[in-house]
Amino acid sequence: MNMTAKKRIAIIGAGVAGMAFAILAARQGHFVHVFERRPQTGSELGAGVTLWPNASFVLKQMGLLDEIAKVSGKPKSMVRYDQHSSDPLNQAFSEKSRLAIHDINRQAQNETYSILRRDLMAILFDALQKTQAHIHFSHPVQAEALAQLKTEYDLVIGADGRMNSAARQNITSALSAESSVDNEAVYQGFINVIGISQSPFTLVDKTVIQDYWGDGERFGIVPIDDQTCYWAAGWVSLPKRKSHPFFTQKDLMHRFQHWPKPVIDVLQHAQGASINTIYVHDVNPITSWHNDNVLLIGDAAHAALPTSGQGACQALEDAWTLAQLLPEHDDIDVVLQQFQAKRIDKTTAIQRTGRHIAQTIFHTKPSDRAVDGSISQTPSHAIANFWMSGLIPSNV
C-alpha cells in the first residue's frame, strides 16, 4: 500500500454504494462524512437483493460476508416459466429455462445469497458505526449545498440514486456545454410492485428462484428460507400521473388470480406494510461520471433496470474499486479517471442487458420471444467470467 495523504470525503447518499464506500474509505483513515436525505438508514424502497458472486466477493473482502450469510438464503437455481396460453382464465405456464446458480458459484469461486434489503442495510450501517465516519440523516443535498461541499472537501461522491441526483445534474450540466447530455431518469414502460411474504409453514422452495413471464406481465419470487421470500410483480403501464394509485395486496390477488399456485400462495402471505409500487426508471449511459472533484457511483452513475439483477452488486463493485484506487494516487483527477476507465464498460453492458430483458418480458409477445431471451441461456462460465471481471483480491 502506497502512503497517500488522508482526504476529506463527502458522500451524498447512504444507499448500498454510498455506505459501502464510506466504510472502506473510513477504514483507510480518510475523513468521511455521509449526507442522507432520509431520517434513517434502511428506510429506502426495496424488498430484497440477490447478491451474485461478484457482490459476495466484495463483501468477503470487506469482512462482512459471515454476517450476511447468517440472514441470507442460498438459492441454487433460477427457473423461468413462460406463459403458453393467451386465455385469461387458463394462464398455463411451462418451464422455459433453468439457470444453474450453483454452477456459476463454482466457476466464480464465490456464493450467491438472497437477502432482505433492510438486513443488508443494517449490516452496512453497523459496519459504518464501527468506523470514524460521520453520517448526517435528514440532510438532503441539492445544487447550492453541493457547491458548498465541493469547496469544503477534497472529494465529493454522488451516490444519490437514479431519480433526482444533484451530483449527476452537476456533471451533466458541465458536459452539456460540449454535447447533448440527458440527465433525466428514463421511464421504461412498466411498474414493479414489490413486497415480502412470510408464512408459519413452508411457503417456497428455498433453493429455487422462480420467475414467471406472462404476456406483458411478470412475477418473480426469491426465497430467503422456506418460509420467507421477497417478490416483484411487474406489468406494462403508462407513466405515473398524480392520480395513479399504489397497488395493494387485494389488487395483486385480483390481477394474478389465474396464475400458478406459488404466485397465489406468496401473495396470500404478503406483509401489507412491505408492498410498494415503483414506476421503473433507469438512466441512459453517460460519457463521464466526474467533473472537478465530484464523482458519481452506483445508480447515480449507471442505474440499470431491476431486470439486470445487478444493481446492488455493481454498487458494491464501485465502492470496492474506488477504495482500491485511493491509496495508489494522491491526485484526485487520476483516481477519478482511472475509476471510470475500470468501471464504465462493464456497467454500460449491464444497463443494456437490463433493458434487453425488460423489452423481452414486457414488450414482446410470448410466442415471439427468442429462446435466448434471458440470461438462463448463457453458459455458466461466461456469466461467471463477466460478473467477476475486474475483481482482484486486495493486498492492502
Side-chain angles (χ1 to χ4, degrees):
M1 172 177 174
N2 297 335
M3 294 303 294
T4 53
K6 301 308 178 189
K7 295 178 172 59
R8 290 179 54 79
I9 301 174
I11 299 171
I12 310 168
V16 174
M19 194 97 72
F21 178 66
I23 293 163
L24 291 163
R27 286 176 179 174
Q28 291 177 352
H30 299 288
F31 307 102
V32 177
H33 285 257
V34 182
F35 301 92
E36 168 56 45
R37 65 182 176 83
R38 296 185 178 92
Q40 63 187 55
T41 186
S43 60
E44 66 269 75
L45 302 179
V49 173
T50 304
L51 299 168
W52 297 101
N54 47 330
S56 299
F57 168 90
V58 174
L59 291 161
K60 185 189 296 181
Q61 299 293 317
M62 293 176 71
L64 301 179
L65 194 57
D66 288 347
E67 287 300 304
I68 294 287
K70 288 176 189 173
V71 292
S72 295
K74 292 180 74 172
K76 297 302 180 191
S77 61
M78 180 169 72
V79 180
R80 170 183 146 202
Y81 301 90
D82 254 29
Q83 183 181 331
H84 58 79
S85 166
S86 58
D87 179 356
L89 298 180
N90 180 30
Q91 296 196 14
F93 288 77
S94 60
E95 182 174 324
K96 186 76 169 183
S97 59
R98 183 176 289 259
L99 180 69
I101 295 173
H102 61 90
D103 203 30
I104 294 173
N105 296 345
R106 181 178 56 78
Q107 303 267 1
Q109 299 180 9
N110 284 273
E111 292 295 314
T112 296
Y113 297 91
S114 54
I115 188 170
L116 297 181
R117 188 177 180 89
R118 64 190 182 213
D119 291 339
L120 172 61
M121 298 311 296
I123 289 168
L124 291 174
F125 183 61
D126 182 59
L128 184 67
Q129 295 282 81
K130 293 173 181 172
T131 72
Q132 296 298 307
H134 299 273
I135 186 164
H136 310 271
F137 289 113
S138 301
H139 201 304
V141 174
Q142 297 303 328
E144 190 175 325
L146 177 60
Q148 185 71 24
L149 291 178
K150 287 175 67 173
T151 65
E152 294 178 2
Y153 290 84
D154 302 309
L155 176 60
V156 179
I157 299 297
D160 45 349
R162 72 182 61 206
M163 295 304 293
N164 298 295
S165 167
R168 187 169 71 241
Q169 180 65 56
N170 176 271
I171 288 167
T172 55
S173 296
L175 288 171
S176 62
E178 306 162 23
S179 60
S180 175
V181 177
D182 184 8
N183 172 59
E184 296 300 313
V186 184
Y187 181 57
Q188 292 296 317
F190 67 99
I191 63 174
N192 264 351
V193 183
I194 59 174
I196 298 166
S197 294
Q198 198 157 28
S199 165
F201 311 106
T202 297
L203 180 62
V204 289
D205 181 341
K206 67 181 182 181
T207 68
V208 181
I209 297 173
Q210 299 176 62
D211 197 11
Y212 295 89
W213 292 14
D215 187 355
E217 298 176 305
R218 177 206 201 176
F219 201 99
I221 303 168
V222 183
I224 303 295
D225 54 41
D226 58 10
Q227 298 177 327
T228 311
C229 66
Y230 63 90
W231 46 266
W235 62 87
V236 173
S237 175
L238 293 172
K240 185 179 182 181
R241 301 284 180 260
K242 285 185 178 177
S243 60
H244 276 192
F246 281 74
F247 293 90
T248 65
Q249 180 183 23
K250 184 178 178 182
D251 296 328
L252 295 171
M253 289 292 292
H254 178 73
R255 175 177 280 274
F256 293 97
Q257 62 184 311
H258 299 295
W259 280 48
K261 186 175 184 296
V263 174
I264 306 301
D265 289 347
V266 162
L267 286 174
Q268 285 177 334
H269 290 91
Q271 298 176 343
S274 74
I275 299 175
N276 231 309
T277 302
I278 300 167
Y279 287 76
V280 181
H281 293 65
D282 65 0
V283 296
N284 290 323
I286 56 178
T287 55
S288 181
W289 298 345
H290 57 90
N291 181 52
D292 297 331
N293 61 339
V294 180
L295 173 69
L296 304 178
I297 66 172
D299 279 354
H302 48 71
L305 294 177
T307 44
S308 76
Q310 277 283 317
C313 302
Q314 292 308 303
L316 289 164
E317 281 196 37
D318 279 355
W320 174 250
T321 303
L322 183 57
Q324 292 292 95
L325 288 169
L326 274 180
E328 296 179 5
H329 307 282
D330 252 330
D331 188 335
I332 285 293
D333 283 342
V334 174
V335 171
L336 304 194
Q337 289 165 18
Q338 290 207 1
F339 173 76
Q340 178 174 313
K342 285 177 179 289
R343 296 289 298 134
I344 196 165
D345 287 350
K346 186 173 184 179
T347 59
T348 299
I350 286 166
Q351 285 176 283
R352 289 175 177 153
T353 297
R355 283 187 176 180
H356 172 72
I357 295 174
Q359 180 71 28
T360 303
I361 297 171
F362 296 109
H363 305 295
T364 306
K365 290 283 185 190
S367 57
D368 295 337
R369 287 178 188 148
V371 176
D372 64 352
S374 81
I375 197 171
S376 309
Q377 303 307 121
T378 307
S380 58
H381 68 86
I383 297 171
N385 289 343
F386 176 65
W387 282 347
M388 299 307 292
S389 62
L391 296 174
I392 301 167
S394 172
N395 57 7
V396 174

